Amino acid sequence: LNFHEKTRKNVQYHYDLSNDFYALFLDPTMTYSCAYFTSDNATLEQAQRNKYDHIARKIMLTTSDTLVDVGCGWGGMLLHCTDAHGIKGVGNTLSRNQFEYANKEIKQQASISKKDSQNIQLFRRRLIFCRLRSSRYSRRRFRIFRCLLGRSVI
């Protein structure tokens, strides 16, 4: 197997177990990385959203930016930042389950937000089921984000 095929197979082996399995221990945003607790009584979901906002401030997101979330998982960061910070977002994943889950969330939120036709969420978010380098987005200028799990850092 070449490197890219092996990576795809590893991702599918790990993340395509089932979304129901991951929902047993993840918060409703389905975020699979550390959280940022700013108080003792914060829930895991609040702490994940705190982390998203903290990262957005660190990378200085503005409404004219497009966030590229490499390995976006179930799309939590992408969904949060497009809503809370008014940016455009592109996510990529090699996991079929994560891709389908995130697309469902995007469409569900788009149907909720259709009251403002200038701001239909579905058109501000894109998910790519491929290696980002091989996509049409590879030559554009973006704010690129990747939140790694501690065990993934070598």
Side-chain angles (χ1 to χ4, degrees):
L1 293 177
N2 68 34
F3 174 77
H4 300 295
E5 180 65 17
K6 186 175 180 182
T7 300
R8 185 184 61 77
K9 286 187 178 288
N10 286 340
V11 166
Q12 288 174 339
Y13 178 80
H14 185 81
Y15 293 107
D16 285 346
L17 293 173
S18 85
N19 291 334
D20 292 336
F21 169 73
Y22 284 100
L24 292 172
F25 56 91
L26 297 179
D27 70 293
T29 68
M30 296 289 283
T31 302
Y32 192 44
S33 62
C34 62
Y36 183 52
F37 287 86
T38 56
S39 69
D40 291 341
N41 59 353
T43 66
L44 180 57
E45 181 178 9
Q46 290 166 330
Q48 292 294 11
R49 293 185 190 284
N50 291 342
K51 176 185 62 186
Y52 300 152
D53 289 330
H54 184 72
I55 291 168
R57 284 190 304 275
K58 288 280 190 178
I59 62 175
M60 297 181 280
L61 278 181
T62 66
T63 55
S64 62
D65 289 330
T66 297
L67 175 72
V68 176
D69 189 353
V70 178
C72 66
W74 290 273
M77 175 78 176
L78 187 67
L79 290 163
H80 177 79
C81 285
T82 53
D83 286 340
H85 300 282
I87 55 111
K88 292 180 181 177
V90 176
N92 88 300
T93 181
L94 295 174
S95 165
R96 173 67 64 188
N97 285 356
Q98 290 176 341
F99 177 79
E100 290 171 359
Y101 179 93
N103 264 324
K104 181 179 155 198
E105 288 297 307
I106 288 169
K107 289 175 184 172
Q108 183 177 1
Q109 288 192 15
S111 67
I112 292 168
S113 65
K114 279 188 180 175
K115 55 189 169 225
D116 180 1
S117 62
Q118 296 296 98
N119 192 21
I120 297 175
Q121 303 302 316
L122 182 61
F123 299 109
R124 293 191 332 163
R125 302 182 187 122
R126 297 287 182 259
L127 283 176
I128 308 166
F129 185 64
C130 69
R131 287 178 33 240
L132 192 62
R133 220 177 355 183
S134 65
S135 76
R136 64 189 170 109
Y137 293 97
S138 63
R139 291 186 174 83
R140 294 186 185 177
R141 294 178 57 93
F142 297 105
R143 300 251 181 206
I144 298 179
F145 164 77
R146 177 68 181 119
C147 186
L148 294 171
L149 294 168
R151 66 173 174 74
S152 299
V153 178
I154 297 174

